[in-house]
Structure formats: C-alpha cells, structure tokens
Amino acid sequence: MTEDRAAALAAIAEQVRTCTRCPLYIGTTNAVPGAGSVNAEIMFIGEGPGFNEDKQGLPFVGRSGDYLVYLLKLIGLSRDDVFIGNVVKHRPPENRDPMPDEILACKPYLDQQVDIIQPLVIATLGRFSMARYFPDGKISRIHGQPKYDNTRAYYPLFHPAAVLRNPDLRKEMEADFKRIPEIIEKVKQTRGSSKPAAPPPVAEEKPEEPPKQLKLF
Ligand code: URA
C-alpha cells in the first residue's frame, strides 16, 4: 500500500536525520534524506547536499536544482513526480567530493529508498552515483546510454552542476533528458504495471576503483 511505503520512506528519513554512521553530520545544519514521490517512476541520484540543501534539508534546491527542475519540465515532470536522492545525505565540508567510506556508510539508506520506491528508472547524476551501477563507467563515454535488467533501467547522466560549469554539455544533457519518457515506456512494457515483489539485483558493494578523492578533511 502507498501509505505503508510512504511511512517506510519517512522512517528512513528520520534515521538519516539522526545518523552518525560517518563524521559527515558534524557541522551540518540539516540532513538531506531525499524528497519526492514514493510512487515515482524515476529516481534521480545525485552526489551530496551543497550549501543550500544543507540549509533547507532538501535535495537540489540551489542552482543545480533550478537546472534540474528546468530539465524535468522539458519532459513534462516536476520535482513532486519524481524522487531525488543523493549518495551521501549530509553535506561534505566545503562541498568536497564524498569519500568511499562515507558513501559506503550511507549506502543502506539509499538501498532501502530504492527498494521501497522500486522506480522504473534510476537516473544517476554525476560519477559518484554512476559508480553504484556502472563501476567501470566513464561519464563522458556512457552518459545517455541506459542499461536494462528485468525490473528497470539505469540511466547515467551528467551532474547538473557539471553542465552549469561547462555549457558545452548542455545540448547533450538535454538530449539525454528527452530520452527519459521513452526509457520509462520501454521498462513498463517489459515489467508490466505492477511493482515487483522482490528487490532488483543489487549493484556491487564497492566499485573496484573508487572515485578519486580530490580533497580530504
Ligand atoms: N548536488 C548534488 O549532488 N545533490 C544535491 O542535493 C545538490 C547538489
């Protein structure tokens, strides 16, 4: 039932708000558990909260978020139609990259969110969420190429912030986004309208080569 699933999602959000599994919570204002519809057909997974997200406790509410909302509008969707989460749920200091042990500590929350929502499509935003499903993937090479299994599609996309930094990527990002409805349809045809009872095959625990860290604490 939708109510039970929504309650399960809310319970995870509550755990995230008091989470001390890694040191990232230290010095933050708010945890950012993720937001959106428990019935979302598509789930977007970003990297981690930034300044504005930390202030509001909501994902993608800064400039990257404005661009994400613009992209969603291109395909007739709003934030409320989708679920937006992150690989880490507290803001890394000075917006540095999340570290492999922080991603691992936060993984059970994201895994459970995926299991509850059972989205038809998981769209990864940037290389840290991409590494969950495409451990050997290079974003510049595989963006816009969905990978299907029996239950869903995994769809690697550039991170909106990367596109804002490099407007040359805009065309490709928008073209990739415009393929989303067709990918959702394709999964619907194979999956049918019902949500599967069992969780989908879980991605590898750890990418063989964890994303490179640029800065440390
Ligand atoms: N960038 C992310 O990866 N996630 C957010 O929530 C905001 C910006």
Side-chain angles (χ1 to χ4, degrees):
M1 271 201 335
T2 293
E3 292 79 23
D4 295 344
R5 293 169 51 248
L9 210 49
I12 293 168
E14 213 34 59
Q15 288 171 34
V16 166
R17 289 191 189 101
T18 54
C19 182
T20 56
R21 290 172 59 100
C22 83
L24 277 186
Y25 73 95
I26 297 167
T28 56
T29 305
N30 285 296
V32 181
S37 169
V38 73
N39 293 318
E41 293 183 333
I42 181 163
M43 178 167 176
F44 291 88
I45 307 178
E47 183 176 316
F51 177 85
N52 293 292
E53 290 76 21
D54 176 65
K55 289 282 164 272
Q56 297 186 40
L58 292 169
F60 282 96
V61 288
R63 278 188 68 225
S64 299
D66 291 344
Y67 185 46
L68 183 58
V69 168
Y70 165 84
L71 291 164
L72 286 170
K73 208 165 164 201
L74 290 180
I75 53 171
L77 295 177
S78 74
R79 297 177 66 97
D80 296 337
D81 297 318
V82 304
F83 190 89
I84 306 173
N86 280 305
V87 291
V88 296
K89 307 205 189 295
H90 282 96
R91 181 191 182 202
E94 293 166 51
N95 292 349
R96 65 154 169 77
D97 290 342
M99 295 200 267
D101 54 342
E102 294 161 351
I103 294 173
L104 200 60
C106 223
K107 185 174 181 292
Y109 299 126
L110 187 53
D111 289 345
Q112 289 175 73
Q113 288 173 323
V114 170
D115 284 350
I116 293 165
I117 296 166
Q118 293 287 350
L120 297 167
V121 178
I122 293 181
T124 62
L125 300 170
R127 64 201 163 102
F128 291 94
S129 51
M130 179 189 70
R132 266 174 72 91
Y133 303 106
F134 302 85
D136 302 317
K138 279 254 177 303
I139 187 81
S140 54
R141 217 176 294 144
I142 70 165
H143 73 90
Q145 295 177 37
K147 173 171 92 178
Y148 295 89
D149 68 14
N150 291 337
T151 58
R152 71 171 56 104
Y154 302 91
Y155 194 41
L157 297 169
F158 291 121
H159 194 287
V163 182
L164 292 177
R165 275 194 307 271
N166 180 2
D168 287 351
L169 297 177
R170 233 183 140 105
K171 255 196 166 150
E172 286 172 275
M173 181 66 157
E174 293 174 17
D176 290 349
F177 238 82
K178 286 180 183 164
R179 285 195 62 202
I180 287 174
E182 146 208 333
I183 295 166
I184 292 177
E185 271 319 301
K186 188 163 171 182
V187 179
K188 273 187 186 164
Q189 278 165 21
T190 47
R191 196 207 244 195
S193 57
S194 63
K195 300 266 181 189
V202 177
E204 294 186 21
E205 277 295 306
K206 272 195 207 169
E208 272 168 30
E209 285 179 72
K212 217 171 78 204
Q213 295 306 313
L214 299 181
K215 281 182 244 159
L216 301 174
F217 272 119

